[in-house]
Amino acid sequence: MAIPASYRELDVLLPPRLAVETVWTSLSDKITDALILPDGRADLILRFMLDDDDRPYDIIPIIAGPSADYWFSPAIPCRGFVGLRFKPGFGGYFLGVDLAGIAGRAYSGDEALALAPQLVALCQPATDVESLIIRMEQFFDDYAEPQISAILVRVMNDMHLSGGRAAIKDLARDNGVTVRGLHRLFVKFVGLSPKAFAAVLRFHRALRLLTRAGLSLSHAALEAGYADQAHMTRDFKRHGGFTPAAIPPNLVMVGLPL
Amino acid sequence: MKFGYTIIYVAQVVETIEFYEKAFGMTRKFIHESHTYAELDTGETILAFAAHEAAELNDLSITPNRRDGIAAGFEVCLVTDNVQEAYGHAVENGASGVSKPAQKPWGQTVAYLRDLNGCLVEICTEIAN
């Protein structure tokens, strides 16, 4: 199972920049399905086909809910994607959907339009992929800066800093909120429980420790905060569908900035 | 091997440097233009501050220091002739007192504070040989 290397995060600063993590593009591989790792974020995606002149047609919207599970994007020649990844906590506001209700699922075409009819404006014909990217970037220009809980922002920050290791009860205590209150904030704004969100962060850090830092399996398990190597293996199978000893080559690892 | 730096990860690097200048009379050695790293002029062994983003960039897992949280298990120790005056000056300039200057049985005067990030700072006199 190979992963297409064509996934690319674009270097853009968008208003309101607080809410968007990245704009990305991807081209479907011709032969192999693409493994999509969970990142706990919601994405708005435009899927399209490219004609011989690289002109997009059949443009349809996809709303990908926040997920803690991996999935596969089927191999279809000449199929492309432009995606906008919302920072955790902000996607629901911009899409106008309840993220907890769409967690772990992707809605495409009419299903997506049923959730967010305003997205129909994104599906007009386009001359090239670049103009689709610009269309996507400008779509939320008129939206006001969303207000989300300062406590939630602080907790998500601490979660990222600890690589998903900090105990939920400690995060709640340190930020002056009950565990139940924190759970409610996460479900409402992020769409996942704090535990599921932290598990995704821990999985990604363990992956980086193994692939970039070059740690051994036992050291990576310890440093990432797993009880033992078996625990790390179970988590890898759950979130990635592979074991730590058999990480697919050319794995697409999204940037998950603070 | 020699001891070169202590680097504390903080939310605001420049603010922290300014705090150490104001509250403890230290001086800055340099602040990187990205504002993600800065050093105090502390002689051969350097006290430096790096932004949280720098920890993340290096795939470190850290617990952020926090003023309203429990202090992490380390301290920065500053040596002065006049602990009483230094303590008062630090408190006036935003440090929070943990314990007022007190004379230890071995002759040293010692006080404890928390800096703007909640890190423990000890102010003490030189230990007499």
Side-chain angles (χ1 to χ4, degrees):
Chain A
M1 175 172 52
I3 311 298
S6 63
Y7 173 84
R8 191 163 62 97
E9 290 180 3
L10 307 178
D11 191 17
V12 285
L13 286 179
L14 300 163
R17 2 183 335 251
L18 257 182
V20 173
E21 206 149 80
T22 188
V23 176
W24 55 268
T25 61
S26 181
L27 192 63
S28 179
D29 192 86
K30 290 182 176 62
I31 311 156
T32 48
D33 297 346
L35 171 60
I36 313 292
L37 296 179
D39 55 25
R41 276 83 163 140
D43 283 58
L44 171 61
I45 303 164
L46 292 180
R47 190 185 79 192
F48 49 85
M49 300 301 291
L50 285 175
D51 69 14
D52 292 343
D53 300 320
D54 281 342
R55 206 189 309 267
Y57 66 98
D58 284 352
I59 302 164
I60 68 152
I62 300 174
I63 295 174
S67 181
D69 302 307
Y70 66 94
W71 58 290
F72 287 96
S73 176
I76 294 173
C78 301
R79 177 183 268 188
F81 304 88
V82 172
L84 189 148
R85 182 168 311 123
F86 294 101
K87 292 198 171 203
F90 293 95
Y93 165 81
F94 286 102
L95 294 169
V97 298
D98 168 33
L99 289 186
I102 64 164
R105 278 205 58 190
Y107 296 79
S108 51
D110 291 342
E111 271 191 338
L113 291 174
L115 284 173
Q118 72 277 19
L119 300 183
V120 74
L122 286 169
C123 305
Q124 306 309 311
T127 50
D128 51 27
V129 174
E130 189 62 34
S131 64
L132 273 187
I133 293 169
I134 292 167
R135 184 184 292 176
M136 196 81 139
E137 288 173 4
Q138 291 175 345
F139 190 65
F140 296 104
D141 269 2
D142 299 336
Y143 282 55
E145 192 84 28
Q147 299 294 317
I148 75 163
S149 153
I151 288 176
L152 179 65
V153 172
R154 272 170 52 157
V155 170
M156 286 194 298
N157 215 39
D158 288 357
M159 273 188 176
H160 270 88
L161 276 175
S162 79
R165 290 191 63 166
I168 307 299
K169 64 172 173 40
D170 293 343
L171 289 168
R173 184 200 61 211
D174 291 350
N175 290 284
V177 62
T178 63
V179 171
R180 280 187 63 186
L182 187 59
H183 192 274
R184 275 196 299 272
L185 278 175
F186 263 84
V187 170
K188 180 174 177 195
F189 289 105
V190 181
L192 296 174
S193 72
K195 198 179 161 200
F197 186 75
V200 169
L201 296 180
R202 182 168 61 173
F203 165 64
H204 276 276
R205 178 156 181 267
L207 256 182
R208 293 194 299 270
L209 292 174
L210 287 165
T211 56
R212 293 185 198 162
L215 289 193
S216 68
L217 294 176
S218 58
H219 283 138
L222 182 71
E223 176 52 31
Y226 293 109
D228 51 32
Q229 220 172 295
H231 183 200
M232 178 167 78
T233 301
R234 280 198 304 279
D235 241 45
F236 269 55
K237 284 182 183 164
R238 150 115 208 259
H239 298 301
F242 51 82
T243 67
I247 297 173
N250 307 322
L251 196 60
V252 171
M253 287 195 279
V254 299
L256 301 175
L258 276 174
Chain B
M1 194 95 81
K2 72 164 195 171
F3 181 35
Y5 303 80
T6 292
I7 301 174
I8 302 177
Y9 290 97
V10 299
Q12 302 289 343
V13 169
V14 176
E15 212 177 293
T16 303
I17 288 283
E18 286 167 353
F19 176 88
Y20 271 76
E21 289 180 329
K22 218 170 133 198
F24 300 121
M26 319 281 289
T27 48
R28 69 187 72 188
K29 193 174 178 196
F30 94 105
I31 296 178
H32 188 264
E33 60 186 19
S34 66
H35 290 187
T36 57
Y37 180 77
E39 295 179 355
L40 287 171
D41 191 6
T42 49
E44 201 184 345
T45 309
I46 292 160
L47 178 58
F49 302 98
H52 285 155
E53 290 83 352
E56 208 190 26
L57 205 65
N58 292 312
D59 276 331
L60 305 177
S61 162
I62 63 163
T63 303
N65 300 296
R66 177 159 288 158
R67 193 163 194 159
D68 57 4
I70 303 163
F74 79 92
E75 63 168 48
V76 169
C77 185
L78 305 172
V79 178
T80 176
D81 292 336
N82 192 337
V83 174
Q84 193 73 44
E85 192 183 292
Y87 180 86
H89 182 80
V91 169
E92 272 168 33
N93 287 283
S96 35
V98 175
S99 67
K100 287 183 177 172
Q103 181 112 23
K104 296 291 179 186
W106 52 89
Q108 202 183 13
T109 305
V110 174
Y112 289 95
L113 306 116
R114 303 276 296 273
D115 75 5
L116 79 167
N117 302 304
C119 296
L120 276 175
V121 178
E122 175 184 337
I123 301 178
C124 63
T125 51
E126 199 99 47
I127 282 193
N129 280 323

